[in-house]
Amino acid sequence: DGVLLVLGAMLCHKDDARVQANACSALCELMLASDAAMRHIVSAGGIALVLQSMQSHQNSEGCVTEACLALEGFALADDKNVRTILGNDKRNVQVIDVSEEEVETDEEAEVASGGDAPVVAQILAAMATHSLCAPLLAAACRSLLALSPGFAAQPLGPRGGMANTLLPAVLGALSRHQSHAGIHQYGCLLLSELGREAPWRERLLAEPDCASTMVASLKTHQGAHNLEAVMKALRRVIPLISHGGEESVKTEVVELTFRAMRLRGESRVLQAAACSNIWQLIEEEVEHYEEPTESSAARQRARLLELAADNSDTVLAAVRAHNDSPPVLENGFRILGLLAEEMEHVRAELGADGVVSVVLGAILEYQSKHRGIPMGTLLSACECLGALGKRTSANQRALLEEG
């Protein structure tokens, strides 16, 4: 059949990079045909052959690109394939004789290979070798994203393990290819997923130019898919922007984030991440400043509050459109509550816009659909309603009538 023909070609022409690239591409097409086809490829040794192809042809941009895409397909199809790729890869590494002078210590080998996943080290090596090849870098980010559930939670070790090479490689690709949609979509999603784990997040925040790279990506990529991915990655580096960024940068991030919310109003993922980013930038503004700079921090915070107030209708639209999403509701209520708490004129304007009805309605509707409501969402709603009723008789009447 077609699967065996392709795998046979890979076996017979191991040294031909073009055959290997075309075969990996063909496997990508075949595995999409059906689940049965995917199982057939795996059981016939397809994963091992793709890994061997990548290892043997590191200098071929086309072969590495297609191999990365094939690995992505395997990984997305089944978690078992992820474990096979990250583990079985060790049994498919070509044995190379070395002299005693070339033998590395175990510690040096771990640093060089990036830890316990040699295939990840091979992908990163290819990214370094072909740093100007945008299609390869995009494919590499795609494969690393698909494989990340298998290595993200593993200990990095005291020296950082593979994070020392993976994070600079991805950030470098984002910076070097600022206009490439694929690199920014999958690179940002990869950083976002890795940033879920505290050790990776700590390493990410320690990377030079990390925040500036993310802000540049947010500024450049306003596409349908890219914008959502960038917003998720930006959420991981908000502490860098909030605690150490220039006022102009923070202002720009808030403005771009509100613009993103308007462009992608239908995306609950983007709306949740955007509201979270805005709230954190405003709320954490004064937490990490010394006494002499408190007045400056207060001015920055006031400026960000004004920006948020000018765009409160965007937040309100997100809450209305995604009233079945706890993250959107929780972060949206936080922003509206913060504005109502600290800006009396905005409190009255929000009341006139019917925010009390929107908040109460969202809570009641969610409870009726799901027979309960997450505690964080309920607390932020209560705080928002409390702030709206503060010294504002019209809002107090609305709370009494509708509550």
Side-chain angles (χ1 to χ4, degrees):
D1 57 19
V3 169
L4 294 182
L5 285 173
V6 173
L7 297 181
M10 296 182 76
L11 279 169
C12 294
H13 303 279
K14 292 181 179 180
D15 296 330
D16 192 320
R18 182 176 296 181
V19 170
Q20 296 296 316
N22 290 336
C24 288
S25 178
L27 288 178
C28 288
E29 296 297 327
L30 289 169
M31 67 178 65
L32 292 175
S34 66
D35 292 341
M38 171 63 80
R39 289 193 295 271
H40 187 17
I41 295 171
V42 173
S43 64
I47 291 178
L49 288 173
V50 171
L51 291 170
Q52 185 179 64
S53 177
M54 173 181 287
Q55 181 188 2
S56 301
H57 300 284
Q58 280 279 300
N59 291 327
S60 170
E61 293 178 353
C63 185
V64 173
T65 300
E66 297 300 335
C68 282
L69 294 176
L71 292 177
E72 178 198 30
F74 288 131
L76 293 177
D78 195 329
D79 291 343
K80 292 181 181 178
N81 293 343
V82 174
R83 294 192 292 271
T84 299
I85 293 168
L86 296 176
N88 188 53
D89 177 58
K90 297 176 182 179
R91 297 190 289 273
N92 289 277
V93 174
Q94 181 181 358
V95 177
I96 301 174
D97 292 328
V98 293
S99 65
E100 292 183 2
E101 291 77 16
E102 294 173 323
V103 175
E104 297 173 307
T105 66
D106 290 342
E107 186 174 350
E108 290 170 340
E110 179 186 359
V111 174
S113 67
D116 294 330
V119 66
V120 174
Q122 291 175 16
I123 295 172
L124 296 176
M127 292 179 73
T129 302
H130 307 286
S131 60
L132 298 180
C133 180
L136 183 149
L137 297 176
C141 289
R142 291 177 65 161
S143 62
L144 290 171
L145 174 62
L147 292 170
S148 63
F151 65 79
Q154 299 299 317
L156 291 176
R159 296 194 177 187
M162 71 173 68
N164 291 334
T165 48
L166 191 153
L167 295 177
V170 175
L171 290 169
L174 294 173
S175 179
R176 190 173 293 109
H177 300 273
Q178 293 188 4
S179 62
H180 194 277
I183 291 175
H184 282 260
Q185 179 179 346
Y186 293 101
C188 286
L189 286 174
L190 174 60
L191 294 178
S192 176
E193 290 304 307
L194 292 175
R196 292 176 182 272
E197 303 293 335
W200 281 93
R201 187 164 59 250
E202 182 180 345
R203 293 284 177 175
L204 178 62
L205 294 175
E207 285 295 321
D209 303 321
C210 173
S212 60
T213 299
M214 290 295 95
V215 173
S217 186
L218 176 63
K219 189 186 307 183
T220 304
H221 292 271
Q222 300 292 315
H225 298 292
N226 302 348
L227 193 53
E228 186 174 288
V230 173
M231 193 63 65
K232 291 180 68 177
L234 187 68
R235 182 171 54 184
R236 307 300 179 198
V237 300
I238 281 295
L240 285 179
I241 300 171
S242 178
H243 302 153
E246 298 292 334
E247 181 178 1
S248 59
V249 174
K250 298 172 188 176
T251 300
E252 183 178 35
V253 169
V254 172
E255 290 175 340
L256 289 170
T257 300
F258 275 121
R259 183 172 185 269
M261 292 178 69
R262 290 189 289 272
L263 285 172
R264 292 295 313 280
E266 80 287 355
S267 171
R268 69 177 60 188
V269 173
L270 183 141
Q271 299 298 319
C275 287
S276 174
N277 292 346
I278 292 168
W279 179 78
Q280 286 187 68
L281 279 171
I282 297 172
E283 182 64 13
E284 297 179 11
E285 183 64 39
V286 297
E287 290 186 2
H288 292 264
Y289 286 89
E290 300 293 337
E291 181 72 25
T293 61
E294 282 186 355
S295 59
S296 174
R299 286 195 297 271
Q300 290 186 25
R301 191 168 190 271
R303 171 58 180 155
L304 296 180
L305 279 169
E306 287 291 346
L307 269 176
D310 291 341
N311 291 275
S312 59
D313 57 329
T314 303
V315 179
L316 196 55
V319 170
R320 283 173 168 151
H322 303 285
N323 58 11
D324 58 342
S325 170
V328 174
L329 294 178
E330 181 173 343
N331 291 305
F333 293 159
R334 282 174 169 176
I335 295 174
L336 295 173
L338 193 62
L339 296 176
E341 177 69 28
E342 302 198 19
M343 307 177 78
E344 188 171 349
H345 67 286
V346 175
R347 188 185 313 144
E349 292 172 1
L350 291 174
D353 290 338
V355 173
V356 172
S357 298
V358 172
V359 175
L360 289 172
I363 295 173
L364 294 173
E365 184 169 351
Y366 189 93
Q367 285 181 321
S368 65
K369 287 182 179 179
H370 304 279
R371 297 183 180 180
I373 188 168
M375 183 60 68
T377 304
L378 182 60
L379 287 175
S380 64
C382 291
E383 290 173 356
C384 180
L385 292 172
L388 286 167
K390 186 178 180 181
R391 295 192 301 274
T392 308
S393 57
N395 293 352
Q396 291 170 355
R397 285 195 299 271
L399 281 168
L400 292 172
E401 293 170 2
E402 301 185 38

